[in-house]
Amino acid sequence: MYAFDIDAASKTDLYRDLAGALDALTADEVDPIANMANMAALLWEYLPDLNWAGFYRLVDGELVLGPFQGKVACIRIPLGKGVCGTAAATLETQLVEDVHAFPGHIACDAASRSELVVPIVYQGQLLGVLDLDSPLPARFDAGDAAGCSALVRLIAPRLVG
């Protein structure tokens, strides 16, 4: 149904192309779950060295598992706990080179070594977080954080159904 020409020549090009694909996939869709599912699948398909890509949604004051690609995951995460809960509580992107060194890390998959979590905020309200895990230490860098932050800004208004 969709065929995207994703250019992995540089990280900047990769995230620019991912943004274009994400925009095409979600522009006319009003269902937040469908949009999260397609974004998770897009990231899973085009970002190398991931073992998990998906969302936790803010529901009644805690993070609840949303659409994802990868192994089964923790279902509920309290705000302030683990990398995802910290990102949600502080509203700051968490770029973790070694999850085993992160105080209170929640190990849903023992193979995960590094993690990038970007809070999703729309009109001042936390909607949830985008969570990416990798089995490689230090897999994510500032370029990934910037690229994923741009993707989250694009998708956020499309998650308020």
Side-chain angles (χ1 to χ4, degrees):
M1 177 174 192
Y2 293 98
F4 299 111
D5 184 18
I6 304 293
D7 180 8
S10 76
K11 204 165 272 195
T12 301
D13 292 340
L14 171 65
Y15 282 104
R16 182 202 62 231
D17 290 351
L18 285 170
L22 181 62
D23 189 40
L25 285 169
T26 62
D28 297 324
E29 181 53 59
V30 297
D31 185 86
I33 300 299
N35 287 333
M36 284 184 273
N38 264 336
M39 182 171 168
L42 187 70
L43 295 175
W44 181 257
E45 184 171 351
Y46 290 105
L47 291 182
D49 302 316
L50 298 183
N51 63 333
W52 205 89
F55 294 88
Y56 281 91
R57 304 169 298 115
L58 183 65
V59 178
D60 297 329
E62 67 182 337
L63 295 175
V64 178
L65 183 64
F68 70 93
Q69 299 283 315
K71 291 183 179 181
V72 297
C74 302
I75 296 173
R76 295 180 182 272
I77 299 175
L79 297 185
K81 301 294 183 189
V83 181
C84 288
T86 298
T90 63
L91 301 180
E92 295 176 358
T93 295
Q94 301 295 306
L95 178 61
V96 181
E97 292 183 354
D98 178 4
V99 294
H100 301 297
F102 189 91
H105 172 252
I106 301 168
C108 296
D109 180 354
S112 292
R113 297 287 309 277
S114 59
E115 190 167 2
L116 173 62
V117 180
V118 180
I120 305 166
V121 179
Y122 181 66
Q123 295 183 342
Q125 297 295 315
L126 176 69
L127 303 178
V129 299
L130 169 67
D131 182 20
L132 301 177
D133 292 5
S134 175
L136 303 179
R139 155 59 183 91
F140 306 104
D141 62 19
D144 294 298
C148 286
S149 293
L151 294 173
V152 161
R153 284 191 301 277
L154 174 68
I155 197 79
R158 299 169 187 183
L159 300 181
V160 292

